[in-house]
Amino acid sequence: MRVLTGIQASGKLHIGNYFGAMKPMIELQEKEELFTFIANYHSLTTSKDAKLLKQLTFDATVDYLSLGIDPEKTTFWVQSDVPQVLELYWILSKFTPMGLLERAHSYKDKVSKGITPNHALFSYPVLMAADILLIDTQKVPVGKDQIQHVEITRDIATKFNNEYGEIFTLPEHVVNEDVATIPGIDGQKMSKSYDNAIDIFMETEKKLQKRCNKIISSSTPLGEPLEYKGCNIYNIASLFLDKEQQKALQTRYSTGEEGYGHFKKYLKELIWEEFAEARERREILINNPDMVRDILSDGAKKMQIIANAKMAKVREAVGIL
């Protein structure tokens, strides 16, 4: 099954990103034909700093490779290294009714939050459709807020196919209902916007411990049993534990022999250990930028072969020499 995921480079990754999207993605590459790209054209809809966008694109590449994206198993590239997607975006625009884009929830939501409306923001779903259709994607893992964009892609592809024959594969969205909302240090959904996230790649254990110490907990004094249900510390720690380990932690809560400070230290140790190998890989990649560029170049070459074959059919269909 051909699966496509796109990543916007938007800053430091936190453990909510990891458990909500990245870990499932890394597991997918073991059983599906996975295509993953850094969506820097999409990032232009909100980016105003060229130097920062370049750095964020590099950082996102390093982070995803460090955490387990394997270029031997996954086709991994930067969107702008395959410009055929922009040609397809323009051609698909002809088959995109204005009303279809005007109904897009994401556009309305971004404008309501103060982002200046422009054509790139408005036509974002068409570029996303080009990303998906260029490689005959069958499955697109998305959050619930992105389902509509996949439906728009299907509408555009259907209009094109009705006129020119079965050129495009109609993709299906996949929403992982098993992924729970990852809580932040305040109990809300973990998000950079809420300033409640725990970053994956903290510089030192000391800084990670300081972040864990900020997790909101109850005022139950040391010596009394603690309630693990509804505890932010337990809810985050349980992400790193199997069923037996979770039960063991629940028992520790019930004895009254440890307080929240002990469990915050335990959580820090879990996080630091979980990403130990990723930190080592990241250090190597950061210090070898040419290695990173070579990986992206190889991924782009694989994509170019697929993209050129698809665009040859599209150009023939619409009459482009």
Side-chain angles (χ1 to χ4, degrees), residues 9-132:
S10 58
K12 293 182 178 179
L13 296 171
H14 55 73
I15 61 176
N17 299 137
Y18 179 72
F19 286 103
M22 298 182 62
K23 192 170 185 286
M25 183 193 310
I26 292 164
E27 291 168 353
L28 268 177
Q29 71 182 353
E30 301 299 329
K31 54 187 178 182
E32 306 290 0
E33 186 182 8
L34 183 62
F35 289 74
T36 298
F37 67 98
I38 308 295
N40 57 340
Y41 280 146
H42 284 292
S43 296
L44 284 174
T45 59
T46 54
S47 173
K48 296 180 181 179
D49 187 327
K51 185 177 180 181
L52 178 60
L53 179 57
K54 287 181 180 180
Q55 186 61 51
L56 289 176
T57 300
F58 177 81
D59 290 346
T61 302
V62 168
D63 287 348
Y64 273 70
L65 290 170
S66 300
L67 287 164
I69 288 296
D70 184 347
E72 297 297 320
K73 299 176 181 178
T74 297
T75 303
F76 185 47
W77 75 101
V78 172
Q79 191 179 27
S80 57
D81 285 341
V82 184
Q84 291 92 332
V85 72
L86 291 183
E87 181 184 1
L88 182 56
Y89 157 76
W90 178 249
I91 292 172
L92 294 178
S93 295
K94 175 187 173 183
F95 301 89
T96 310
M98 292 292 289
L100 191 63
L101 298 181
E102 288 168 348
R103 293 191 294 273
H105 305 312
S106 179
Y107 172 75
K108 294 176 184 177
D109 181 58
K110 288 177 180 176
V111 172
S112 71
K113 290 179 179 177
I115 298 177
T116 303
N118 55 49
H119 177 263
L121 196 64
F122 183 68
S123 63
Y124 182 107
V126 188
L127 181 55
M128 184 171 169
D131 293 322
I132 295 169

Side-chain angles (χ1 to χ4, degrees), residues 138-142 146-147 150-151 154 171-175:
Q138 294 164 289
K139 300 287 185 181
V140 186
V142 293
Q146 290 282 313
I147 291 175
V150 181
E151 292 174 342
R154 289 176 61 88
E172 295 180 4
H173 68 262
V174 179
V175 177

